[in-house]
Amino acid sequence: MLPDDMTIQDWPVNYDELEPYYDRFEKLCGTSGKAGNIRGAKQEGGNPFEGWRSSDYPTPPLKQGLGATLFAEAARKTGHSPFPQPASNLSEAYENPLESKWGNALIAASANALVAGKLFKGQPADLCASGAVEVPEFQSADRVRSHQDQS
């Protein structure tokens, strides 16, 4: 609850209403990570502080570098629960619910940046292109101009 003298407003929706959309988006872009709370059940190795989620991330966490690994080991020794940060880079090959397929970040990392970007990072145009044409409201534009182009 917000105090009466506050000039801000609370959101008109809550996390429970938004969670299915977060889940859907993470499945579309293949988010890598480890859930810490699936439907109220705490998950070992995930974020113990996160709100509930309906499912785990669609791909496992990215491999941790030496710095993150050393930090996690030290944190565990002091009784803390470190967890990998979710990422929009794939940890393994992935096919999303719209049947868009991407390669693996580890394989793509050895390729040039242009090719690597297409293989393991979901671009907005790639995420939904295969499924968007099936949505009745979808309209394709031959040319999209930026705000600067319109002036």
Side-chain angles (χ1 to χ4, degrees), residues 144-151:
V144 176
R145 294 187 307 168
S146 72
H147 178 69
Q148 290 177 340
D149 290 341
Q150 295 175 10
S151 54

Side-chain angles (χ1 to χ4, degrees), residues 36-119:
N37 179 349
I38 299 178
R39 300 188 186 278
K42 297 296 182 182
Q43 306 294 308
E44 183 69 31
N47 180 351
F49 307 107
E50 72 182 6
W52 72 273
R53 18 179 340 105
S54 54
S55 62
D56 206 345
Y57 290 97
T59 58
L62 296 169
K63 290 187 187 287
Q64 300 296 298
L66 179 60
T69 301
L70 293 174
F71 178 85
E73 288 173 6
R76 280 188 204 91
K77 288 178 183 176
T78 61
H80 292 86
S81 302
F83 54 90
Q85 180 72 27
S88 292
N89 291 34
L90 295 175
S91 58
E92 63 186 21
Y94 181 67
E95 180 176 342
N96 78 6
L98 298 177
E99 300 179 356
S100 292
K101 298 176 186 177
W102 293 293
N104 172 312
L106 299 175
I107 295 168
S110 64
N112 70 49
L114 178 62
V115 173
K118 285 296 281 182
L119 288 175

